[in-house]
Amino acid sequence: MKNLIIMLVVTFLGFSSQAQDKKSKYEKISIEVNGNCEQCQKRIQNAAYSVAGVKSAIWSIETHQLDLILNKEKATVEQVKKVVAKAGYDSENEKATQDSYDKLPGCCQYERK
């Protein structure tokens, strides 16, 4: 009986340490991304999800914040910013080309700074 309890404790500790390792590779990040509407929201989120390692991408129309959960071993914030810019949207330190911006529908053409 004593051996069984020890075995269960060791097994439990092994699983909990694996779970902690798995969580530690994920990072929550928020970046500002310019946009206007639900179409922008869809394009921005789809662009972010196109980066391998992005687990979650939610862009708020009201706050212009893109909340990300990234696997740090597979993706970087810079990679996400680049694909979002390629889709036509400016973010912190990464601007869309004029050509990408011009391809956005009229309702999505936000005021550029």
Side-chain angles (χ1 to χ4, degrees):
M1 181 68 172
K2 186 176 178 182
N3 288 339
L4 180 62
I5 292 173
I6 291 172
M7 190 182 309
L8 289 173
V9 169
V10 169
T11 303
F12 175 74
L13 291 175
F15 283 128
S16 67
S17 69
Q18 287 176 352
Q20 288 175 352
D21 289 343
K22 192 173 188 179
K23 287 182 183 179
S24 66
K25 68 181 176 181
Y26 291 103
E27 181 177 20
K28 290 183 181 180
I29 299 169
S30 290
I31 58 174
E32 185 176 346
V33 178
N34 292 321
N36 292 327
C37 61
E38 289 178 9
Q39 288 184 50
C40 295
Q41 183 180 49
K42 191 173 188 177
R43 281 189 196 88
I44 292 166
Q45 290 175 178
N46 285 342
Y49 277 121
S50 74
V51 176
V54 172
K55 184 176 179 181
S56 175
I58 301 171
W59 183 75
S60 169
I61 296 170
E62 293 81 24
T63 65
H64 293 191
Q65 291 295 308
L66 176 60
D67 296 321
L68 300 165
I69 298 177
L70 299 175
N71 179 333
K72 297 183 291 187
E73 297 171 357
K74 296 181 180 179
T76 65
V77 178
E78 289 74 26
Q79 288 173 318
V80 175
K81 288 180 181 180
K82 284 182 183 186
V83 298
V84 168
K86 192 173 182 179
Y89 298 93
D90 296 342
S91 63
E92 303 162 354
N93 304 323
E94 192 70 45
K95 303 296 179 201
T97 64
Q98 189 63 44
D99 187 47
S100 294
Y101 175 79
D102 290 341
K103 289 180 182 175
L104 294 173
C107 65
C108 296
Q109 292 187 353
Y110 50 91
E111 186 175 322
R112 295 184 93 179
K113 297 175 186 175

